[in-house]
Amino acid sequence: MKFFIDTANIEEIRKANDMGVIAGVTTNPSLIAKEGRDYATVLKEIAEIVDGPISGEVKATTVDAEGMIAEGRAIYALDPKHMVVKIPMTVEGLKAIKVLSSEGIPTNCTLIFSANQALLAARAGATYVSPFLGRLDDISQPGIELIETITAMFSRFPDIKTQIICASVRNPIHVTDCALAGADIATVPYKVIEQMTHHPLTDQGIVKFQEDYRKVFGE
Ligand code: G3P
């Protein structure tokens, strides 16, 4: 399983990229709005930092296929080597995915909460589907079961090349569970990547090595 980072914050993206663990970036309208900066500028900046797929979502207020297609082409044109057009799971969204993918523009179908939605997106030609774990957990439905169902379903049909990006990842246990479920990618907030580096015994071990070293060798 690969890691993407789920943020539009440039500083977090730089830090995670320097760690060498991220293969791409996902953003959404809420994450970009949080930064309070121009949509296109942020996406272009991200694409200059990370050499991998960068998901930029069509505007939340664009709901018709024609609008999403026009915006999708514009997002892709920002940086054709990296940009992936993120499109919500709706009837209009599927139409837009079909047109964009027929033009060779990679797409990421977002707001996936059922296996059937994932299958529809795959058949429309989506490069990626983004099932949301945390938001299902929030309503007392085990999000990981959705990931397991989609991985099992896609593996039955070798002609499906759509990759599964686990989204709405909220903690390190989600990450382990997604990997065990056989997901292709987990898109993870910076805070969770950082949490994953820690273990109390690692931290204690570092302190002990430092103490022992200083006793003999000084600073
Ligand atoms: O990009 C979609 C996603 O990961 C949302 O996460 O925490 O807002 O449910 P969250």
Side-chain angles (χ1 to χ4, degrees), residues 6-7 26-28 30-31 57 86 110-111 113 130-135 138 166-170 187-189:
D6 195 29
T7 184
T26 53
T27 65
N28 65 37
S30 306
L31 291 171
E57 194 159 337
K86 207 170 175 191
T110 188
L111 290 164
F113 291 97
S130 290
F132 280 33
L133 274 90
R135 293 192 196 184
D138 289 345
C166 301
S168 191
V169 168
R170 305 270 178 80
T187 189
V188 184

Side-chain angles (χ1 to χ4, degrees), residues 3-7 9 12-13 16 22-27 50 186-190 193:
F3 290 112
F4 286 2
I5 186 167
D6 195 29
T7 184
N9 182 279
E12 289 182 345
I13 291 167
I22 57 161
V25 182
T26 53
T27 65
V50 179
T187 189
V188 184
Y190 181 77
I193 298 177

Side-chain angles (χ1 to χ4, degrees), residues 23 27 48 72 78 88 96 98 109 138 168 175 183 202 204 213:
T27 65
E48 278 164 20
L78 291 172
K98 179 176 176 249
C109 188
D138 289 345
S168 191
V175 176
T202 306
Q204 283 172 31
Y213 181 89

